[in-house]
Amino acid sequence: MIDALFFGRVAEALGQRRTQIDVPAEGLSLLSLRARLFIGDDDSKVLMSVNQVIQSGDQALHDGDEVAFFSVFSGG
Amino acid sequence: MIDALFFGRVAEALGQRRTQIDVPAEGLSLLSLRARLFIGDDDSKVLMSVNQVIQSGDQALHDGDEVAFFSVFSGG
Amino acid sequence: MADIDVKLLPETLDPVQEHAAFLACFGHLGAVTAFTGVVRAAAKDVIVDYLYLDWYPGMTEASMHAIAETAAERFEIAALVIRHRCAKVKAGQPVVFVAAASSHRRAAFEAVDYMMDRLKSEAALWKREVGPDIDHWIEPTGKDAEDLQRWSKP
Amino acid sequence: MADIDVKLLPETLDPVQEHAAFLACFGHLGAVTAFTGVVRAAAKDVIVDYLYLDWYPGMTEASMHAIAETAAERFEIAALVIRHRCAKVKAGQPVVFVAAASSHRRAAFEAVDYMMDRLKSEAALWKREVGPDIDHWIEPTGKDAEDLQRWSKP
């Protein structure tokens, strides 16, 4: 199972902060998970992390991974 | 009468912090007061003020003036 | 190794107490610079009731720690502290406190300045501004990018 | 007009209380930068027991006020405070506290940085360093002149 978390503008757009997804037999990549969650491809400002490390490309996900989708940071 | 004040290294060198001097009939200039007080001419780092305004050249002093001689500032 | 202390605070931030504690521990080093950011009641004439700072538990703290570590190394700072609010922060309340202690005045200034610029764009926080006429997510501005760019110059 | 508050303190300086008071009055502006300088117990491996800061009553306050006024104008700062000790200041004790409040973070940083550089060389104070093996007047160094020079660049 994969833990998918959402923050900032992405959480608001999806109307949820967290969901859990089983890894299908054929495997699951980061970008296919993003597509499956309906996180718009047109929004270039969606950032992604796997196990709290920001990732910009695609990669295979594994059972137990924590994946997050979020808008650009703004602190301070 | 003129009030002459000394600060920092100058006060230490002269061994005093203040003296009062009558203005002679022939008048008294800032640089002649400095010479009269034995504040070494060789020490280019002696600064002067008249009535709390820093002065670099010579000028006539007047009864009631407050004159000061001091080393360069160091605060902070 | 620099003494680095980073805390993400969901409930309250007291810059006076943080400053007091930091000075008590590290004041003897000679130079202490502190910055406090407070939520303004208006931004460009629009009333702000509060900020909401969304955060990613674990990752947010790590991102702030990384910023402090880089600052400590780059400016040779002996002690650094970052305190950042998250969740709801009302207008008038402190949202961030950053301090640096060093034996060099300039280093302490630069480290705090640097950390603030990086926190704006690189701390894992998402800031939303809410008021009677507004409710929107804030994203780093061109000015923020410019501020950050200053530190990549040689 | 900027709110400028300058005090020369012959007996004690409490940076925590000064910071608290300044934040209470001006924190709402958004950005507060504060610098505290503490007398170090050693300078270049030589033990320092205390500093003695000689001052010229009236002229010293005026010189510090002039520095604050220039800073307020140059960096468009809403509020500035300078607290400077004079007379005997023991190692470990605060000797200077400077703070600036603004709605602009960068302005608050620059104003404090600027005031510290100018206080070093242009406040009417004379600093003497005293320890078991030393007793000498401090004069601004080449580094201090260089720090000051930064602000004359365009």
Side-chain angles (χ1 to χ4, degrees):
Chain A
M1 209 161 60
I2 287 168
D3 228 0
L5 309 174
F6 313 108
F7 299 99
R9 197 192 291 277
V10 175
E12 186 185 39
L14 291 180
Q16 64 177 346
R17 299 186 59 79
R18 182 178 180 181
T19 189
Q20 291 183 317
I21 288 146
D22 283 318
V23 181
E26 71 273 21
L28 184 66
S29 79
L30 181 57
L31 289 181
S32 56
L33 173 61
R34 173 174 161 166
R36 183 168 153 181
L37 292 166
F38 305 104
I39 301 172
D41 279 325
D42 54 328
D43 189 351
S44 62
K45 282 182 177 172
V46 173
L47 305 179
M48 310 175 288
S49 69
V50 178
N51 299 322
Q52 307 202 354
V53 176
I54 290 182
Q55 301 295 344
S56 52
D58 201 11
Q59 62 177 271
L61 298 176
H62 305 284
D63 201 50
D65 279 348
E66 179 181 286
V67 179
F69 299 94
F70 41 82
S71 42
V72 294
F73 301 147
S74 56
Chain B
M1 207 160 58
I2 288 168
D3 227 0
L5 308 174
F6 314 107
F7 299 99
R9 196 192 291 278
V10 175
E12 186 185 41
L14 291 180
Q16 62 178 347
R17 298 186 60 79
R18 182 178 180 181
T19 189
Q20 293 184 318
I21 287 147
D22 283 317
V23 182
E26 70 273 21
L28 184 65
S29 79
L30 182 56
L31 289 181
S32 57
L33 173 60
R34 174 175 161 166
R36 182 168 153 181
L37 291 166
F38 305 105
I39 300 171
D41 280 324
D42 55 327
D43 189 353
S44 61
K45 283 182 175 168
V46 173
L47 305 178
M48 309 174 290
S49 69
V50 178
N51 299 323
Q52 306 204 355
V53 176
I54 290 183
Q55 301 295 344
S56 53
D58 201 12
Q59 61 177 272
L61 299 176
H62 305 285
D63 201 50
D65 279 347
E66 179 182 284
V67 179
F69 299 93
F70 41 83
S71 41
V72 294
F73 301 146
S74 56
Chain C
M1 276 299 291
D3 201 308
I4 292 175
D5 185 2
V6 170
K7 278 201 187 88
L8 184 64
L9 303 163
E11 299 193 344
T12 184
L13 162 57
D14 180 350
V16 171
Q17 187 267 317
E18 298 293 349
H19 186 240
F22 192 73
L23 273 176
C25 287
F26 303 110
H28 67 91
L29 292 168
V32 171
T33 300
F35 177 83
T36 306
V38 173
V39 179
R40 283 190 284 161
K44 291 170 193 150
D45 292 331
V46 177
I47 295 172
V48 174
D49 288 331
Y50 64 90
L51 298 183
Y52 184 85
L53 285 133
D54 198 6
W55 75 104
Y56 186 168
M59 189 166 164
T60 305
E61 291 89 331
S63 68
M64 298 194 307
H65 209 278
I67 291 168
E69 274 180 346
T70 311
E73 203 169 308
R74 176 163 178 168
F75 302 103
E76 297 178 35
I77 294 291
L80 291 177
V81 63
I82 297 178
R83 300 286 181 260
H84 210 302
R85 279 295 313 275
C86 57
K88 185 173 172 175
V89 193
K90 290 184 194 162
Q93 287 185 338
V95 60
V96 62
F97 175 83
V98 173
S102 171
S103 52
H104 302 289
R105 186 168 88 253
R106 173 119 357 269
F109 277 119
E110 289 183 334
V112 173
D113 192 4
Y114 172 86
M115 287 193 286
M116 282 307 306
D117 281 346
R118 288 197 57 193
L119 285 168
K120 279 269 164 191
S121 322
E122 299 180 14
L125 289 161
W126 298 273
K127 187 156 67 178
R128 184 180 189 146
E129 214 169 50
V130 183
D133 302 317
I134 48 163
D135 184 350
H136 51 226
W137 295 95
I138 306 289
E139 295 196 349
T141 61
K143 177 70 170 62
D144 291 329
E146 220 173 80
D147 286 346
L148 202 56
Q149 190 58 29
R150 295 190 307 141
W151 305 103
S152 58
K153 288 174 196 158
Chain D
M1 276 297 294
D3 201 308
I4 292 175
D5 186 1
V6 169
K7 278 201 186 85
L8 183 65
L9 303 164
E11 298 193 344
T12 184
L13 163 57
D14 180 351
V16 170
Q17 187 267 318
E18 297 292 350
H19 186 239
F22 193 73
L23 274 176
C25 287
F26 303 111
H28 67 91
L29 292 169
V32 171
T33 299
F35 178 83
T36 307
V38 174
V39 179
R40 283 190 284 162
K44 291 171 193 148
D45 292 330
V46 177
I47 296 172
V48 174
D49 289 330
Y50 65 90
L51 298 183
Y52 184 85
L53 284 135
D54 198 5
W55 75 104
Y56 186 167
M59 189 166 166
T60 304
E61 291 89 333
S63 67
M64 300 195 304
H65 209 279
I67 291 169
E69 274 180 347
T70 312
E73 202 169 310
R74 177 163 178 167
F75 303 103
E76 297 179 35
I77 294 292
L80 291 177
V81 63
I82 298 178
R83 300 286 181 261
H84 209 302
R85 280 294 314 274
C86 58
K88 185 173 173 176
V89 193
K90 289 185 194 163
Q93 288 185 339
V95 60
V96 62
F97 175 84
V98 174
S102 172
S103 51
H104 302 289
R105 186 167 89 253
R106 174 124 350 273
F109 276 120
E110 289 183 334
V112 174
D113 192 4
Y114 171 86
M115 286 193 286
M116 283 305 306
D117 280 347
R118 288 198 57 191
L119 284 169
K120 279 270 165 190
S121 323
E122 299 179 12
L125 290 161
W126 298 273
K127 187 156 66 178
R128 184 180 188 144
E129 211 170 52
V130 184
D133 302 318
I134 49 163
D135 185 348
H136 52 228
W137 295 96
I138 305 289
E139 296 196 347
T141 60
K143 176 74 169 61
D144 292 328
E146 221 173 79
D147 286 347
L148 202 56
Q149 190 59 28
R150 295 190 306 140
W151 305 103
S152 57
K153 287 174 197 157

